[in-house]
């Protein structure tokens, strides 16, 4: 929603300085929700690990999946934090305007252009990492389902 919806919509603002200002305001409103979601995800993940501790301890597939998911979750949270940092830098330069939230104008300062170019990449890294986490979660669920099926026989 952010990369396509919010950033795409603010790129349509007529005043170039409004593009960055509106994008920054939108992301600032979203940040508390994003932080809460990360916290709930972390608590839920820890609860799942605790609930499945025996399987995670004895099943090498579950161990590997859990380790990879943990690393990717930390990477996604890091990328999210870094995107917030870049957004703050962009917000400080909103008065310079931009072609879009992540597209610098030809007159953009070096600092603004750098932050926008980095954010253009990071905004897609986050959903990519999250998508991989969804797939790994489904895989782990199927592994557990397979074990249940074996126990029912």
């Amino acid at each position: 929603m952010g990369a396509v919806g919010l950033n795409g919509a603010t790129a349509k603002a007529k005043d170039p300085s409004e593009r960055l200002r509106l994008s920054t305001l939108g992301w600032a409103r979203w940040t508390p929700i994003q932080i809460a979601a990360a916290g709930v995800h972390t608590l839920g993940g820890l609860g799942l690990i605790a609930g499945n501790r025996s399987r995670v301890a004895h099943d090498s597939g579950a161990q590997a999946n859990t380790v990879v998911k943990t690393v990717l979750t930390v990477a996604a949270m890091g990328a999210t934090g870094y995107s917030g940092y870049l957004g703050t830098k962009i917000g400080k330069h909103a008065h310079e305007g931009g072609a879009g939230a992540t597209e610098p104008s030809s007159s953009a300062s070096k600092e603004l252009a750098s932050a926008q170019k980095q954010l253009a990449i990071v905004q897609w890294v986050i959903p990519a990492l999250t998508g991989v986490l969804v797939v790994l979660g489904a895989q782990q669920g199927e592994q557990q389902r397979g074990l249940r099926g074996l126990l029912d026989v």
Side-chain angles (χ1 to χ4, degrees), residues 39-114:
V40 169
H41 176 82
T42 299
L43 290 174
L46 291 172
L48 285 171
I49 291 170
N52 292 294
R53 66 183 164 273
S54 176
R55 187 167 77 90
V56 172
H58 299 100
D59 180 352
S60 62
Q63 285 174 356
N65 185 296
T66 300
V67 168
V68 171
K69 282 175 39 183
T70 300
V71 168
L72 290 175
T73 298
V74 170
M77 289 179 173
T80 299
Y82 189 62
S83 73
Y85 167 74
L86 292 171
T88 300
K89 284 178 75 172
I90 290 168
K92 290 178 182 175
H93 293 273
H95 63 279
E96 293 179 37
T102 58
E103 299 80 28
S105 68
S106 58
S107 62
S109 66
K110 193 173 185 177
E111 186 177 18
L112 174 58
S114 174

Side-chain angles (χ1 to χ4, degrees), residues 5-15 18-20 22-23 99-101:
L6 180 60
N7 289 349
T10 58
K12 302 295 182 194
K14 291 180 182 173
D15 182 350
E18 284 293 291
R19 294 173 188 155
L20 300 184
L22 292 173
S23 177

